[in-house]
């Protein structure tokens, strides 16, 4: 009975350690940095400057906290390698404002392209 309990405990520990090794890192970070950033959108969908406090590390490129003054705080995906942000236009701003009603642009498309933003140091 005791060996069965020890074997079950060892199997559980092994299963939990394999899950933590394959799980996504906390904070939405990948090996190249965070995969989302915060932007501020005004009433018309135009971007406004975000006041962000960020880590000074060259390895950890995440923003610690971002505040938006008189604008909506929205989470936006970071553009991947070889991908560029969409050009600003009035139609794009309207579509972005509509897509940002849920507080995120992750997964939203405009003319078949992602509504991504540049990386912090990109």
């Amino acid at each position: 009975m005791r060996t069965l309990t020890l074997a079950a405990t060892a199997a559980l520990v092994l299963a939990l350690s394999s899950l933590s090794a394959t799980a996504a890192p906390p904070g939405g970070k990948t090996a190249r940095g965070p995969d989302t950033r915060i932007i501020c959108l005004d009433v018309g969908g135009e971007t406004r400057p975000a006041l962000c406090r960020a880590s000074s590390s060259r390895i950890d490129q995440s923003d610690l906290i971002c505040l938006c003054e008189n604008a909506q705080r929205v989470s936006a995906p970071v553009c991947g390698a070889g991908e560029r942000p969409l050009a600003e236009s009035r139609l794009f701003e309207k579509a972005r404002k509509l897509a940002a009603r849920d507080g995120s642009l992750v997964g939203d498309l405009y003319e078949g392209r992602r509504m991504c933003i540049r990386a912090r140091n990109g």
Side-chain angles (χ1 to χ4, degrees), residues 32 78-86 113-114 116-119 122:
R32 64 170 177 71
V78 173
C79 294
E83 189 178 15
R84 292 180 7 159
L86 294 162
R113 292 178 53 197
R114 289 190 326 148
C116 66
I117 60 171
R118 286 190 355 224

Side-chain angles (χ1 to χ4, degrees), residues 78-98:
V78 173
C79 294
E83 189 178 15
R84 292 180 7 159
L86 294 162
E88 297 286 325
S89 70
R90 189 65 195 137
L91 291 175
F92 173 64
E93 290 170 357
K94 284 183 177 183
R96 180 172 52 193
K97 182 62 179 177
L98 186 64

